[in-house]
DNA sequence: TGAATTCATTTGATCGATCAAACTTTTTTT
DNA sequence: AAAAAAAGTTTGATCGATCAAATGAATTCA
């Protein structure tokens, strides 16, 4: 009376037992049709909602996944993770999963949070972002038998095929390969690349996409290719500096590809000749100033992550034998082509 | 044995009863010191973690707050909400609160989600963002006696002092007033404002900050002030268009203030004279291109939200009589001043 | 027809914690 | 020193759902 109706109330109203009500909700198949309809009617009439905590206590599963909200470092590329978070939340919702956020100050601290959330039965598994080589978090999760899927492939030597590590990643190689090809098709020959210093898992991957496409085409000798490449840390002003350097030293340049939208924005600023610039991540900035960019297709990534997390392995590999089911997903990014727009357009001559 | 230790295990190990263990965790004050220490030792040794769902079932509270993850509309200003979300999560964590995300396609759908999460005892209360005039969500929450606090004041006629509606907001008036003053102090007289069409709660508020500061100073007649104001929808290209219009029609312009960083970025693009431009929200873009901007101080907002949510009223007002405790917080934004930088710097003459 | 199966539903126990009230022990009061 | 009050601790019941096993009803088989 006082509070919300419980299974017992519904059972009473429908003239059945608690368990039947439970069955209607969890295994409708085993309940006779007319009984089921009667129960459903009672549920609707009383406005019954299952008590999530009670269910979790009994079933020992929470239907909740934990995601660490990364500290906002670079606000520009950070938006990819925000979009990813949004996609995960949306698709999780649709599957009856909840998303619980937490923060951590370091990978070690994050492991403490894993422990806390897992022990308290708050979450069934985790989604990790921003993995890096020798990541202690994945090791710990595997050792403790906790379900997880990473957005980002493992960057260790042999880890990519580790059957215990489920992951989804975006094929940066393919993104830059396509971007390079697209420029080549419009007639560009000398295509420059502004990227990050090695070793950087994602960075090296993207660079190779450009490099391979350039070699395949053969317009530029392998030696000259070195001139067309600038290595720098990420940031807008670094992009500007790199672009200036290219214009001074690299001779003719038909197009510029960048490892990030930050670099691309920077490059655009020092781009009076309006050389086509392509960024990476398709951030709001790229959209705002009309910059082509490689879109990471976070929706697909999110779908893949949830599929792996809730799928056959439930995010982890019990002693399961070989299986046809692949344990990772490689998502092909989309190249978003935009006409040159905002920045150069209104610059005074 | 099999799973994690429970209160009973700890009690056994410490030679006390379940309830004493519970007391050590929830009301340490009533347990004798030596007993408490013994229990704490047992907790540490067994690595005991309370089972969150069991506790929630019994106490009927979840220590979790629900936040809707807004659809990413304008990616640029969206980052304010992301930063807010981050601040809330971080500070909630510190208070032992969890943050549960959800999405919704419309205010009506959001109300359905409120129901679901509240009935299932998933959350104790909600934090709402992006409130608008006549918001059906707040009305529904009040009617159903559910705790909530909004980031954003109620924009209805008399709602601001509604004692049932707890809110935290940023004083846009003060942000623009300060920005105007700052420009005036550097000698600027004719300061333009690019804002949004009325009625717009936040927009009108910001505009008035500029307007009042201009009137106070009296450098520009009330008539001329109209020339210095452009009304347009939000967006980068709209900002560019507005700036061009100002340059054509408004004569001398010493500075430009904008209702958003999107508009400010647009204005910067059509700004060969390097008139100082100030944006609003202090988004990553403003930082990236070196644009002054009004920062919403999301940390303070988050702190205020949690304070109200967990404070005296617990997010709602029971029949509580008049109280000295204010039911809202007005946060004063910070003006972040940046030297002119990226965009005009490398533009070729 | 009666026994063996299958299907549908019910009952009792349980998940892990906290509440409410009972019970002990210690401290204060008279 | 006995009675009263306070402090500290324990016991039984309970939150709301699901599990496991038992019961009853409908169906199939010999």
């Amino acid at each position: 009376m006082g509070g919300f109706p419980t299974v017992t109330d519904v059972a009473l109203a429908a003239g059945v037992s608690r368990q039947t009500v439970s069955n209607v909700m969890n295994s409708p198949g085993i309940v006779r049709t007319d009984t089921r309809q009667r129960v459903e009617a009672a549920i609707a009439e009383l406005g019954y909602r299952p008590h999530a905590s009670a269910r979790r206590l009994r079933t020992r599963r929470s239907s909740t996944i934990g995601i660490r909200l990364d500290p906002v470092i670079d606000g520009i590329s950070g938006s990819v993770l925000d979009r990813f978070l949004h996609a995960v939340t949306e698709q999780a919702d649709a599957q009856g999963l909840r998303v619980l956020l937490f923060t951590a100050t370091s990978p070690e601290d994050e492991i403490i949070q894993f422990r806390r959330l897992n022990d308290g039965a708050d979450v069934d598994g985790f989604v990790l972002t921003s993995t890096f080589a020798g990541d202690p978090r994945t090791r710990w999760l595997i050792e403790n038998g906790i379900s997880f899927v990473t957005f980002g492939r493992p960057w260790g030597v042999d880890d990519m095929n580790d059957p215990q590590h489920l992951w989804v990643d975006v094929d940066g190689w393919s993104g830059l390969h396509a971007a390079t090809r697209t420029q080549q098709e419009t007639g560009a020959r000398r295509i420059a690349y502004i990227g990050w210093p090695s070793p950087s898992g994602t960075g090296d991957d993207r660079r190779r996409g450009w490099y391979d496409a350039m070699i395949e085409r053969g317009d530029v000798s392998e030696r000259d290719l070195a001139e067309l490449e600038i290595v720098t840390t990420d940031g807008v002003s670094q992009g500007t500096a790199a672009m200036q350097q290219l214009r001074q030293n690299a001779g003719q340049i038909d197009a510029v590809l960048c490892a990030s939208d930050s670099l691309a924005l920077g490059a655009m600023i020092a781009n009076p000749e309006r050389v086509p610039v392509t960024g990476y991540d398709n951030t709001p900035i790229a959209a705002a100033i009309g910059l082509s960019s490689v879109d990471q297709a976070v929706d697909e990534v999110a779908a893949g992550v949830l599929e792996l997390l809730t799928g056959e392995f439930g995010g982890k590999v019990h002693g399961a034998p070989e299986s046809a089911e692949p344990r990772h997903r490689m998502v092909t990014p989309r190249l978003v082509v935009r006409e040159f727009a905002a920045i150069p357009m209104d610059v005074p001559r």
Side-chain angles (χ1 to χ4, degrees), chain A residues 140-159:
Chain A
W140 188 89
L141 288 168
I142 290 173
E143 279 168 9
N144 288 271
I146 297 172
S147 304
F148 73 97
V149 176
T150 64
F151 172 10
R153 69 199 85 169
W155 291 108
V157 195
D158 241 359
D159 298 345

PDB file of all heavy atoms in Angstrom, chain A residues 140-159:
ATOM      1  N   TRP A 140      44.908  -6.754 -14.922  1.00  0.00           N
ATOM      2  CA  TRP A 140      44.229  -6.957 -13.651  1.00  0.00           C
ATOM      3  C   TRP A 140      42.827  -7.534 -13.853  1.00  0.00           C
ATOM      4  O   TRP A 140      42.409  -8.457 -13.153  1.00  0.00           O
ATOM      5  CB  TRP A 140      44.148  -5.627 -12.896  1.00  0.00           C
ATOM      6  CG  TRP A 140      43.644  -5.785 -11.501  1.00  0.00           C
ATOM      7  CD1 TRP A 140      44.382  -6.034 -10.382  1.00  0.00           C
ATOM      8  CD2 TRP A 140      42.272  -5.725 -11.074  1.00  0.00           C
ATOM      9  NE1 TRP A 140      43.545  -6.129  -9.296  1.00  0.00           N
ATOM     10  CE2 TRP A 140      42.257  -5.945  -9.683  1.00  0.00           C
ATOM     11  CE3 TRP A 140      41.055  -5.509 -11.742  1.00  0.00           C
ATOM     12  CZ2 TRP A 140      41.091  -5.956  -8.938  1.00  0.00           C
ATOM     13  CZ3 TRP A 140      39.881  -5.530 -10.996  1.00  0.00           C
ATOM     14  CH2 TRP A 140      39.908  -5.751  -9.611  1.00  0.00           C
ATOM     15  N   LEU A 141      42.116  -6.997 -14.807  1.00  0.00           N
ATOM     16  CA  LEU A 141      40.757  -7.476 -15.047  1.00  0.00           C
ATOM     17  C   LEU A 141      40.753  -8.944 -15.474  1.00  0.00           C
ATOM     18  O   LEU A 141      39.912  -9.727 -15.041  1.00  0.00           O
ATOM     19  CB  LEU A 141      40.082  -6.605 -16.115  1.00  0.00           C
ATOM     20  CG  LEU A 141      39.707  -5.192 -15.662  1.00  0.00           C
ATOM     21  CD1 LEU A 141      39.334  -4.315 -16.842  1.00  0.00           C
ATOM     22  CD2 LEU A 141      38.550  -5.239 -14.667  1.00  0.00           C
ATOM     23  N   ILE A 142      41.708  -9.296 -16.316  1.00  0.00           N
ATOM     24  CA  ILE A 142      41.801 -10.686 -16.747  1.00  0.00           C
ATOM     25  C   ILE A 142      42.114 -11.586 -15.565  1.00  0.00           C
ATOM     26  O   ILE A 142      41.457 -12.603 -15.336  1.00  0.00           O
ATOM     27  CB  ILE A 142      42.874 -10.844 -17.844  1.00  0.00           C
ATOM     28  CG1 ILE A 142      42.406 -10.177 -19.142  1.00  0.00           C
ATOM     29  CG2 ILE A 142      43.173 -12.326 -18.089  1.00  0.00           C
ATOM     30  CD1 ILE A 142      43.452 -10.125 -20.239  1.00  0.00           C
ATOM     31  N   GLU A 143      43.101 -11.178 -14.788  1.00  0.00           N
ATOM     32  CA  GLU A 143      43.488 -11.988 -13.626  1.00  0.00           C
ATOM     33  C   GLU A 143      42.322 -12.197 -12.667  1.00  0.00           C
ATOM     34  O   GLU A 143      42.214 -13.228 -12.020  1.00  0.00           O
ATOM     35  CB  GLU A 143      44.630 -11.300 -12.861  1.00  0.00           C
ATOM     36  CG  GLU A 143      45.999 -11.545 -13.482  1.00  0.00           C
ATOM     37  CD  GLU A 143      47.055 -10.626 -12.881  1.00  0.00           C
ATOM     38  OE1 GLU A 143      46.744  -9.936 -11.887  1.00  0.00           O
ATOM     39  OE2 GLU A 143      48.177 -10.594 -13.418  1.00  0.00           O
ATOM     40  N   ASN A 144      41.481 -11.202 -12.543  1.00  0.00           N
ATOM     41  CA  ASN A 144      40.385 -11.290 -11.594  1.00  0.00           C
ATOM     42  C   ASN A 144      39.090 -11.790 -12.221  1.00  0.00           C
ATOM     43  O   ASN A 144      38.044 -11.774 -11.572  1.00  0.00           O
ATOM     44  CB  ASN A 144      40.174  -9.944 -10.910  1.00  0.00           C
ATOM     45  CG  ASN A 144      41.294  -9.647  -9.929  1.00  0.00           C
ATOM     46  OD1 ASN A 144      41.212 -10.013  -8.762  1.00  0.00           O
ATOM     47  ND2 ASN A 144      42.371  -9.033 -10.413  1.00  0.00           N
ATOM     48  N   GLY A 145      39.203 -12.193 -13.475  1.00  0.00           N
ATOM     49  CA  GLY A 145      38.026 -12.785 -14.116  1.00  0.00           C
ATOM     50  C   GLY A 145      36.843 -11.855 -14.248  1.00  0.00           C
ATOM     51  O   GLY A 145      35.699 -12.279 -14.150  1.00  0.00           O
ATOM     52  N   ILE A 146      37.119 -10.597 -14.449  1.00  0.00           N
ATOM     53  CA  ILE A 146      36.034  -9.626 -14.575  1.00  0.00           C
ATOM     54  C   ILE A 146      35.805  -9.299 -16.047  1.00  0.00           C
ATOM     55  O   ILE A 146      36.752  -9.107 -16.801  1.00  0.00           O
ATOM     56  CB  ILE A 146      36.376  -8.350 -13.785  1.00  0.00           C
ATOM     57  CG1 ILE A 146      36.486  -8.689 -12.297  1.00  0.00           C
ATOM     58  CG2 ILE A 146      35.323  -7.276 -14.017  1.00  0.00           C
ATOM     59  CD1 ILE A 146      36.997  -7.564 -11.441  1.00  0.00           C
ATOM     60  N   SER A 147      34.548  -9.252 -16.423  1.00  0.00           N
ATOM     61  CA  SER A 147      34.208  -8.973 -17.815  1.00  0.00           C
ATOM     62  C   SER A 147      34.620  -7.571 -18.219  1.00  0.00           C
ATOM     63  O   SER A 147      34.406  -6.617 -17.486  1.00  0.00           O
ATOM     64  CB  SER A 147      32.693  -9.084 -18.018  1.00  0.00           C
ATOM     65  OG  SER A 147      32.233 -10.343 -17.622  1.00  0.00           O
ATOM     66  N   PHE A 148      35.143  -7.472 -19.399  1.00  0.00           N
ATOM     67  CA  PHE A 148      35.421  -6.138 -19.930  1.00  0.00           C
ATOM     68  C   PHE A 148      35.654  -6.215 -21.427  1.00  0.00           C
ATOM     69  O   PHE A 148      35.973  -7.275 -21.964  1.00  0.00           O
ATOM     70  CB  PHE A 148      36.656  -5.529 -19.250  1.00  0.00           C
ATOM     71  CG  PHE A 148      37.954  -6.151 -19.698  1.00  0.00           C
ATOM     72  CD1 PHE A 148      38.724  -5.551 -20.695  1.00  0.00           C
ATOM     73  CD2 PHE A 148      38.392  -7.336 -19.142  1.00  0.00           C
ATOM     74  CE1 PHE A 148      39.911  -6.123 -21.122  1.00  0.00           C
ATOM     75  CE2 PHE A 148      39.581  -7.923 -19.566  1.00  0.00           C
ATOM     76  CZ  PHE A 148      40.345  -7.318 -20.557  1.00  0.00           C
ATOM     77  N   VAL A 149      35.464  -5.079 -22.058  1.00  0.00           N
ATOM     78  CA  VAL A 149      35.775  -4.929 -23.471  1.00  0.00           C
ATOM     79  C   VAL A 149      36.455  -3.581 -23.608  1.00  0.00           C
ATOM     80  O   VAL A 149      36.068  -2.624 -22.934  1.00  0.00           O
ATOM     81  CB  VAL A 149      34.501  -4.956 -24.344  1.00  0.00           C
ATOM     82  CG1 VAL A 149      34.838  -4.710 -25.805  1.00  0.00           C
ATOM     83  CG2 VAL A 149      33.779  -6.288 -24.196  1.00  0.00           C
ATOM     84  N   THR A 150      37.458  -3.511 -24.430  1.00  0.00           N
ATOM     85  CA  THR A 150      38.117  -2.214 -24.601  1.00  0.00           C
ATOM     86  C   THR A 150      37.780  -1.600 -25.952  1.00  0.00           C
ATOM     87  O   THR A 150      37.610  -2.295 -26.946  1.00  0.00           O
ATOM     88  CB  THR A 150      39.656  -2.326 -24.495  1.00  0.00           C
ATOM     89  OG1 THR A 150      40.156  -3.135 -25.575  1.00  0.00           O
ATOM     90  CG2 THR A 150      40.061  -2.942 -23.183  1.00  0.00           C
ATOM     91  N   PHE A 151      37.668  -0.297 -25.928  1.00  0.00           N
ATOM     92  CA  PHE A 151      37.617   0.476 -27.168  1.00  0.00           C
ATOM     93  C   PHE A 151      39.067   0.857 -27.422  1.00  0.00           C
ATOM     94  O   PHE A 151      39.620   1.707 -26.760  1.00  0.00           O
ATOM     95  CB  PHE A 151      36.733   1.707 -26.983  1.00  0.00           C
ATOM     96  CG  PHE A 151      36.758   2.685 -28.139  1.00  0.00           C
ATOM     97  CD1 PHE A 151      37.366   2.368 -29.353  1.00  0.00           C
ATOM     98  CD2 PHE A 151      36.155   3.920 -28.010  1.00  0.00           C
ATOM     99  CE1 PHE A 151      37.368   3.270 -30.401  1.00  0.00           C
ATOM    100  CE2 PHE A 151      36.161   4.841 -29.059  1.00  0.00           C
ATOM    101  CZ  PHE A 151      36.779   4.514 -30.254  1.00  0.00           C
ATOM    102  N   GLY A 152      39.678   0.171 -28.347  1.00  0.00           N
ATOM    103  CA  GLY A 152      41.113   0.322 -28.559  1.00  0.00           C
ATOM    104  C   GLY A 152      41.754  -1.047 -28.448  1.00  0.00           C
ATOM    105  O   GLY A 152      41.549  -1.753 -27.474  1.00  0.00           O
ATOM    106  N   ARG A 153      42.481  -1.432 -29.461  1.00  0.00           N
ATOM    107  CA  ARG A 153      43.113  -2.751 -29.437  1.00  0.00           C
ATOM    108  C   ARG A 153      44.272  -2.738 -28.443  1.00  0.00           C
ATOM    109  O   ARG A 153      44.783  -1.675 -28.097  1.00  0.00           O
ATOM    110  CB  ARG A 153      43.629  -3.102 -30.833  1.00  0.00           C
ATOM    111  CG  ARG A 153      44.820  -2.258 -31.283  1.00  0.00           C
ATOM    112  CD  ARG A 153      45.006  -2.284 -32.772  1.00  0.00           C
ATOM    113  NE  ARG A 153      44.162  -1.280 -33.407  1.00  0.00           N
ATOM    114  CZ  ARG A 153      44.262  -0.912 -34.687  1.00  0.00           C
ATOM    115  NH1 ARG A 153      45.150  -1.491 -35.487  1.00  0.00           N
ATOM    116  NH2 ARG A 153      43.482   0.015 -35.189  1.00  0.00           N
ATOM    117  N   PRO A 154      44.639  -3.912 -27.966  1.00  0.00           N
ATOM    118  CA  PRO A 154      45.805  -3.974 -27.077  1.00  0.00           C
ATOM    119  C   PRO A 154      47.052  -3.707 -27.915  1.00  0.00           C
ATOM    120  O   PRO A 154      47.193  -4.265 -29.002  1.00  0.00           O
ATOM    121  CB  PRO A 154      45.797  -5.406 -26.554  1.00  0.00           C
ATOM    122  CG  PRO A 154      44.695  -6.122 -27.244  1.00  0.00           C
ATOM    123  CD  PRO A 154      44.082  -5.236 -28.267  1.00  0.00           C
ATOM    124  N   TRP A 155      47.932  -2.887 -27.398  1.00  0.00           N
ATOM    125  CA  TRP A 155      49.075  -2.482 -28.218  1.00  0.00           C
ATOM    126  C   TRP A 155      50.349  -3.247 -27.926  1.00  0.00           C
ATOM    127  O   TRP A 155      51.397  -2.974 -28.490  1.00  0.00           O
ATOM    128  CB  TRP A 155      49.318  -0.983 -28.076  1.00  0.00           C
ATOM    129  CG  TRP A 155      48.232  -0.177 -28.715  1.00  0.00           C
ATOM    130  CD1 TRP A 155      47.274   0.543 -28.069  1.00  0.00           C
ATOM    131  CD2 TRP A 155      47.974  -0.012 -30.119  1.00  0.00           C
ATOM    132  NE1 TRP A 155      46.427   1.149 -28.977  1.00  0.00           N
ATOM    133  CE2 TRP A 155      46.837   0.825 -30.239  1.00  0.00           C
ATOM    134  CE3 TRP A 155      48.577  -0.489 -31.282  1.00  0.00           C
ATOM    135  CZ2 TRP A 155      46.306   1.189 -31.472  1.00  0.00           C
ATOM    136  CZ3 TRP A 155      48.043  -0.115 -32.506  1.00  0.00           C
ATOM    137  CH2 TRP A 155      46.924   0.707 -32.594  1.00  0.00           C
ATOM    138  N   GLY A 156      50.258  -4.208 -27.018  1.00  0.00           N
ATOM    139  CA  GLY A 156      51.443  -5.013 -26.734  1.00  0.00           C
ATOM    140  C   GLY A 156      51.811  -5.893 -27.929  1.00  0.00           C
ATOM    141  O   GLY A 156      51.043  -6.009 -28.880  1.00  0.00           O
ATOM    142  N   VAL A 157      52.957  -6.508 -27.846  1.00  0.00           N
ATOM    143  CA  VAL A 157      53.490  -7.265 -28.967  1.00  0.00           C
ATOM    144  C   VAL A 157      52.491  -8.261 -29.545  1.00  0.00           C
ATOM    145  O   VAL A 157      52.065  -8.162 -30.688  1.00  0.00           O
ATOM    146  CB  VAL A 157      54.758  -8.046 -28.527  1.00  0.00           C
ATOM    147  CG1 VAL A 157      55.497  -8.527 -29.773  1.00  0.00           C
ATOM    148  CG2 VAL A 157      55.651  -7.174 -27.674  1.00  0.00           C
ATOM    149  N   ASP A 158      52.121  -9.210 -28.718  1.00  0.00           N
ATOM    150  CA  ASP A 158      51.308 -10.306 -29.230  1.00  0.00           C
ATOM    151  C   ASP A 158      49.856 -10.217 -28.784  1.00  0.00           C
ATOM    152  O   ASP A 158      49.058 -11.096 -29.043  1.00  0.00           O
ATOM    153  CB  ASP A 158      51.890 -11.630 -28.714  1.00  0.00           C
ATOM    154  CG  ASP A 158      52.318 -12.488 -29.895  1.00  0.00           C
ATOM    155  OD1 ASP A 158      52.143 -12.051 -31.038  1.00  0.00           O
ATOM    156  OD2 ASP A 158      52.833 -13.594 -29.651  1.00  0.00           O
ATOM    157  N   ASP A 159      49.544  -9.109 -28.100  1.00  0.00           N
ATOM    158  CA  ASP A 159      48.284  -9.063 -27.381  1.00  0.00           C
ATOM    159  C   ASP A 159      47.051  -9.038 -28.272  1.00  0.00           C
ATOM    160  O   ASP A 159      45.961  -9.378 -27.845  1.00  0.00           O
ATOM    161  CB  ASP A 159      48.239  -7.830 -26.485  1.00  0.00           C
ATOM    162  CG  ASP A 159      49.343  -7.874 -25.446  1.00  0.00           C
ATOM    163  OD1 ASP A 159      49.921  -8.962 -25.264  1.00  0.00           O
ATOM    164  OD2 ASP A 159      49.611  -6.838 -24.822  1.00  0.00           O
TER     165      ASP A 159
END
